[in-house]
Amino acid sequence: MGGDFGPRCIIPAVARCLQQIPGFNVVLVGSPEPMASLSREYRLPDDRVSFVHTSETILADDLPASVLRSKRDASMRVVIEQVRDGVADGCLSAGNTGALMVLAKTLLGTVEGIQRPAIMAALPVAGKFCHVLDLGANVDCSARQLFEFAVMGSEAVAELTDIERPRVGLLNIGSEINKGSLRVREVSELLRDSRSLNYVGHIEGHELFQDRADVVVCDGFVGNVVLKASEGLAGYMQDELRRALAGSFALRLMAPLLRRALKPMGERLDPNRHNGAVLLGLQGVVVKSHGNADQQALEVAIGQAVRACQSQMPQRIAARLARCRGELL
Amino acid sequence: MGGDFGPRCIIPAVARCLQQIPGFNVVLVGSPEPMASLSREYRLPDDRVSFVHTSETILADDLPASVLRSKRDASMRVVIEQVRDGVADGCLSAGNTGALMVLAKTLLGTVEGIQRPAIMAALPVAGKFCHVLDLGANVDCSARQLFEFAVMGSEAVAELTDIERPRVGLLNIGSEINKGSLRVREVSELLRDSRSLNYVGHIEGHELFQDRADVVVCDGFVGNVVLKASEGLAGYMQDELRRALAGSFALRLMAPLLRRALKPMGERLDPNRHNGAVLLGLQGVVVKSHGNADQQALEVAIGQAVRACQSQMPQRIAARLARCRGELL
């Protein structure tokens, strides 16, 4: 049980979700204390909660490779083992992304034809979403892996939304085919040649917010930086907006009206409301929460994990991937 | 004479700058028409304007390497030759960034100790700026080149602002030292060992907007995507804001007041007001404008070029770099 705020934030989020989500049962994995006392404090119902006690913790600076060999009793490892062993239908973690990726890949395995799982999240665009992957699970990606992300992203978005043939774009620094790094030019060619994908070409940074594509592929370094920069800028602009509106007496009088008018925009851009990214391509449901998620954000992520389990997302994506396996192998 | 809008946009911008900047003279390089007729239309003064006619154009999809060998009469090449030959003090181009970089590097040469020039731009942060480089001139960078960007960025910001020892950060996907791609981890070590730089560690995407560093280093692919994504998101949020405020009758009545309150924020975030990025590390002033710059944005870029010439920026940066040459070689 990790993340920046630990059980003090997770237990109340679990308590709320137990009240709100019928049929939701939970296995809490972590050190006995403060898990047990907090569970009593928030009156978690005995019949829907079980505990697995662990003695080790994976830290933010633990190397993914070393995590595999050591720390066999870390909560992040044990929670994935619960999924592997069929005790849990899926799991949620707010810990070290690289370690989560490696442990999940090793313990659960990937879907046939997929080398590495990827993390996808959605940027809000004009009432819709632009899904971006990978977001940090894979820092150095080969062209082949980027191509797999495109296939997984396309299938996942087709599964999650009512878009039948999602528009797939490649994040790049220009629209011309000779633009980009060596690797990006290589995958650009693979994507152009694909018959199963609805490939729409290169997407530049600003086009992420112009509804040019439903799925945008990039390596985990670029994806992580762009997602966090977008969150940072949205937060900065909202602070500036508040300051600007507080600067005039007349506008301060209008504050309730302004708050009501601006609330939907704030909610659309609030990263906490989009918390919980599914690791795509795994044989099992693993959901990654922001490390600094607060209680509300954790509730959203738990909801995502429950939905992914209920819809049997890994099986559905695997079935879809099987149909375009010819292109993957 | 290039960019998306060509002479129809450039000539009026030049006309305004000739009115506003005393001592500014201009060499216009491009095809004879419509340059000549537009110059008459906008009454450019004969004694402050000269023309160099060229017959070729570098296109957005021309490969930088092939541009070097062919297209010897392209306006982008000839304008840099004007600087090399001392006819002009500096030049401005809105064309293909990669081609501009290669031509400038080859024709003007770099400052001693610098392998490749870099493009730097400023993101607005809390009334200050966060300077980011590279922004697209160098897509595949070695650790050594990223280190040079840090030194150039630090020296340029010290020269451009009143910050004596700018805080230098490395764009990365986590604060821990083992985070990032192989290349990023390598340069992270070089930066930590540097004695001349005021290195403050890794900067995550959201921290670009939290005044954590004055200079942030990244490769040109990441920098270009982040800068354009930020511009795209800022534009999207401003559209959303307008829509939200137009949705209520009472707020529509307050429109003039709201416009006045929000104007400074809009101006701070308007990419047109920050147009014109100096190529750092060259033995000469070369300024890159956005390809899609409008007239107002081109005026800003011309102003940047004039200031860089007046302050003898290349010479000053070279002198500063000489002082920390020990670390560069």
Side-chain angles (χ1 to χ4, degrees):
Chain A
M1 199 172 283
D4 298 354
F5 306 119
R8 303 222 151 260
C9 198
I10 296 173
I11 302 287
V14 166
R16 287 261 304 183
C17 289
L18 284 165
Q19 282 162 12
Q20 291 176 344
I21 309 174
F24 167 54
N25 298 308
V26 65
V27 183
L28 295 171
V29 181
S31 21
E33 283 302 333
M35 198 162 71
S37 49
L38 281 165
S39 299
R40 280 192 300 276
E41 184 182 333
Y42 285 92
R43 299 168 193 273
L44 301 192
D46 287 344
D47 55 334
R48 294 172 65 191
V49 181
S50 55
F51 298 91
V52 176
H53 294 155
T54 52
S55 58
E56 289 179 295
T57 305
I58 290 172
L59 304 172
D61 58 357
D62 275 334
L63 284 172
S66 77
V67 157
L68 259 187
R69 291 188 302 272
S70 59
K71 298 207 176 176
R72 299 200 158 248
D73 198 39
S75 55
M76 188 193 285
R77 185 186 184 108
V78 172
V79 85
I80 297 170
E81 286 171 349
Q82 301 292 308
V83 179
R84 180 195 64 192
D85 300 343
V87 181
D89 293 314
C91 68
L92 170 69
S93 169
N96 181 326
T97 309
L100 184 67
M101 214 281 283
V102 167
L103 284 170
K105 177 174 176 295
T106 310
L107 296 172
L108 300 177
T110 53
V111 167
E112 205 187 323
I114 297 297
Q115 292 182 347
R116 268 151 73 165
I119 294 181
M120 185 170 82
L123 294 172
V125 187
K128 303 162 74 178
F129 289 101
C130 175
H131 298 79
V132 181
L133 78 169
D134 176 58
L135 290 177
N138 306 279
V139 171
D140 290 300
C141 300
S142 67
R144 154 82 198 264
Q145 283 160 354
L146 288 167
F147 181 75
E148 289 174 13
F149 297 168
V151 177
M152 286 198 287
S154 173
E155 299 302 327
V157 168
E159 194 59 48
L160 287 165
T161 68
D162 54 2
I163 305 167
E164 214 171 294
R165 295 202 70 215
R167 296 163 298 166
V168 176
L170 175 65
L171 194 59
N172 205 343
I173 59 170
S175 53
E176 303 80 13
I177 60 165
N178 61 13
K179 285 289 159 75
S181 63
L182 286 174
R183 219 168 288 176
V184 164
R185 278 176 281 159
E186 220 181 312
V187 72
S188 170
E189 210 164 303
L190 293 175
L191 289 167
R192 278 201 306 281
D193 291 345
S194 160
R195 282 158 290 114
S196 68
L197 293 173
N198 179 13
Y199 179 57
V200 296
H202 297 172
I203 298 292
E204 294 191 64
H206 55 286
E207 294 173 325
L208 289 170
F209 301 95
Q210 291 173 355
D211 193 25
R212 288 273 328 274
D214 304 304
V215 179
V216 174
V217 174
C218 57
D219 72 47
F221 191 94
V222 177
N224 184 288
V225 167
V226 166
L227 184 84
K228 286 185 182 162
S230 301
E231 290 176 2
L233 176 58
Y236 167 68
M237 281 183 71
Q238 286 174 310
D239 288 347
E240 286 273 294
L241 185 59
R242 260 188 292 275
R243 256 194 301 275
L245 296 178
S248 136
F249 178 69
L251 288 176
R252 276 203 300 278
L253 289 179
M254 306 287 283
L257 199 58
L258 281 166
R259 256 199 300 277
R260 201 162 56 234
L262 298 176
K263 202 176 162 207
M265 176 174 109
E267 288 179 353
R268 259 199 302 283
L269 292 165
D270 181 1
N272 283 342
R273 299 199 167 235
H274 307 292
N275 191 32
V278 178
L279 265 71
L280 296 178
L282 285 174
Q283 298 200 28
V285 171
V286 177
V287 174
K288 168 73 175 85
S289 158
H290 262 300
N292 64 357
D294 60 14
Q295 183 188 326
Q296 191 203 355
L298 282 166
E299 290 169 25
V300 175
I302 293 171
Q304 290 279 33
V306 170
R307 266 191 300 282
C309 293
Q310 283 172 341
S311 71
Q312 302 198 295
M313 201 150 117
Q315 291 88 328
R316 283 166 175 264
I317 290 177
R320 282 178 169 274
L321 284 173
R323 273 182 258 154
C324 47
R325 185 154 301 149
E327 294 201 4
L328 281 174
L329 294 176
Chain B
M1 199 173 283
D4 299 353
F5 306 119
R8 303 222 151 261
C9 198
I10 298 174
I11 302 287
V14 166
R16 287 261 304 181
C17 289
L18 283 165
Q19 282 163 9
Q20 291 176 344
I21 309 174
F24 167 52
N25 298 308
V26 67
V27 184
L28 295 171
V29 181
S31 20
E33 282 303 330
M35 199 161 70
S37 49
L38 281 166
S39 298
R40 281 192 300 276
E41 184 182 334
Y42 285 94
R43 301 168 193 272
L44 301 192
D46 287 343
D47 55 333
R48 295 171 65 192
V49 180
S50 54
F51 297 91
V52 176
H53 294 156
T54 52
S55 58
E56 291 181 294
T57 306
I58 290 171
L59 305 172
D61 58 358
D62 276 334
L63 284 173
S66 76
V67 157
L68 259 187
R69 289 188 302 271
S70 60
K71 298 208 176 175
R72 298 200 160 248
D73 198 38
S75 56
M76 188 193 282
R77 185 187 182 107
V78 173
V79 85
I80 298 169
E81 285 171 348
Q82 300 293 307
V83 179
R84 182 197 60 191
D85 301 342
V87 180
D89 293 315
C91 67
L92 171 69
S93 170
N96 182 325
T97 309
L100 184 67
M101 214 282 284
V102 167
L103 285 170
K105 178 174 175 297
T106 311
L107 296 172
L108 300 177
T110 53
V111 167
E112 205 187 324
I114 297 296
Q115 293 183 346
R116 268 150 73 166
I119 294 181
M120 184 171 83
L123 294 171
V125 187
K128 304 163 74 176
F129 289 101
C130 176
H131 298 79
V132 181
L133 77 168
D134 176 57
L135 291 177
N138 306 278
V139 170
D140 290 299
C141 300
S142 67
R144 154 83 197 264
Q145 283 160 355
L146 288 167
F147 182 75
E148 288 175 12
F149 297 169
V151 176
M152 286 197 288
S154 173
E155 298 303 327
V157 168
E159 195 59 48
L160 287 165
T161 68
D162 56 359
I163 304 168
E164 212 171 297
R165 294 201 71 216
R167 296 162 300 166
V168 176
L170 175 65
L171 193 60
N172 204 343
I173 59 171
S175 53
E176 303 80 14
I177 58 165
N178 61 14
K179 283 290 158 75
S181 64
L182 286 174
R183 219 166 291 175
V184 165
R185 277 177 280 158
E186 219 181 312
V187 71
S188 169
E189 211 165 300
L190 293 176
L191 290 167
R192 277 200 307 282
D193 290 346
S194 159
R195 279 157 294 114
S196 68
L197 293 172
N198 179 12
Y199 179 58
V200 295
H202 298 171
I203 298 293
E204 295 191 62
H206 55 286
E207 294 173 324
L208 289 170
F209 301 96
Q210 292 175 352
D211 193 25
R212 288 274 327 276
D214 304 302
V215 179
V216 174
V217 173
C218 56
D219 70 48
F221 190 94
V222 177
N224 184 288
V225 167
V226 166
L227 184 83
K228 287 185 181 162
S230 301
E231 290 175 4
L233 175 58
Y236 167 68
M237 281 183 73
Q238 285 173 312
D239 289 347
E240 286 272 293
L241 185 59
R242 262 188 292 274
R243 257 195 299 277
L245 296 178
S248 138
F249 178 69
L251 288 177
R252 276 203 299 280
L253 289 180
M254 307 286 282
L257 198 59
L258 281 166
R259 256 199 299 278
R260 201 164 54 235
L262 298 176
K263 202 176 159 206
M265 176 173 108
E267 288 179 354
R268 257 200 301 284
L269 291 165
D270 180 2
N272 283 342
R273 297 196 169 241
H274 306 292
N275 191 30
V278 179
L279 266 72
L280 296 177
L282 285 174
Q283 298 200 28
V285 171
V286 178
V287 174
K288 167 75 176 84
S289 157
H290 263 300
N292 63 357
D294 61 13
Q295 183 188 327
Q296 190 201 357
L298 281 166
E299 290 168 25
V300 175
I302 293 171
Q304 290 279 33
V306 171
R307 265 190 300 283
C309 294
Q310 283 172 340
S311 69
Q312 303 199 293
M313 202 152 117
Q315 293 86 330
R316 283 165 176 265
I317 290 176
R320 281 177 170 274
L321 285 172
R323 273 181 260 151
C324 47
R325 185 155 298 149
E327 293 202 1
L328 281 173
L329 293 177

